[in-house]
Amino acid sequence: MDDMLENAFLLALKTSVRVKDLPMLVSTFFAQHVKPASQRLRTGADLNLKQTRFKKLGAFLDHMAAEGLVKVVTEKAGVQKLVSFDSVNARLLSFDQAQYPEVESDGGDIDPSGLGQRWYVPRFGYHRSITAVYPCLQCRWASIEH
């Protein structure tokens, strides 16, 4: 599980995190970048921090900061932000993202929480408006004093 976490972390840094998005909360980084990157690893297991030797995200990021990959700043007790990452770090440069292709999606199911829930995204098309409603709205706005 440690290897999966480290590979997902490196894949997220290499493919989805942009410098203009920094600084970002580490919880946001994990949910929006590392979790989706773990799906690309295709190991068949879900990424679970509790099953790693780090147990918590802060401990893992402190370890990565000690290796020089990222810089993490603690603003308040329990609130950490990812401030920067070293894009020319030897470990990041040697990581081969080509062995983890993009996951194909039909666009209908989205899982923003990373919890394995299936979401239906409606596809909106062009619809004609009902003209009978418009005069009613005009009357309502006319009665409100500005």
Side-chain angles (χ1 to χ4, degrees):
M1 192 60 69
D2 290 347
D3 290 336
M4 182 179 177
L5 176 61
E6 290 180 10
N7 287 338
F9 172 79
L10 292 171
L11 186 61
L13 284 182
K14 200 149 187 178
T15 59
S16 68
V17 177
R18 296 177 298 196
V19 176
K20 70 177 188 172
D21 295 336
L22 299 175
M24 77 170 67
L25 293 172
V26 296
S27 59
T28 303
F29 169 68
F30 185 73
Q32 294 181 359
H33 298 281
V34 177
K35 286 287 265 189
S38 71
Q39 299 300 317
R40 286 179 62 181
L41 299 178
R42 298 176 190 235
T43 59
D46 288 334
L47 181 60
N48 187 353
L49 280 170
K50 301 270 186 210
Q51 294 177 353
T52 65
R53 65 184 163 120
F54 303 104
K55 304 294 183 204
K56 293 189 178 184
L57 183 59
F60 172 71
L61 289 174
D62 289 341
H63 175 71
M64 290 293 127
E67 289 188 15
L69 279 165
V70 293
K71 183 177 180 186
V72 179
V73 174
T74 303
E75 289 193 351
K76 298 183 228 175
V79 178
Q80 290 183 319
K81 282 191 175 184
L82 180 66
V83 177
S84 64
F85 66 96
D86 186 7
S87 60
V88 294
N89 185 294
R91 186 167 177 198
L92 190 60
L93 290 175
S94 66
F95 182 75
D96 184 22
Q97 72 190 38
Q99 63 183 348
Y100 306 113
E102 291 283 337
V103 177
E104 295 293 326
S105 174
D106 61 356
D109 295 323
I110 295 179
D111 183 15
S113 65
L115 300 174
Q117 299 171 349
R118 298 183 71 73
W119 293 61
Y120 173 72
V121 178
R123 290 181 173 56
F124 296 102
Y126 174 76
H127 298 285
R128 292 185 180 176
S129 62
I130 302 171
T131 56
V133 175
Y134 183 73
C136 295
L137 291 176
Q138 271 186 332
C139 296
R140 188 167 186 213
W141 282 104
S143 65
I144 300 174
E145 294 185 27
H146 299 284

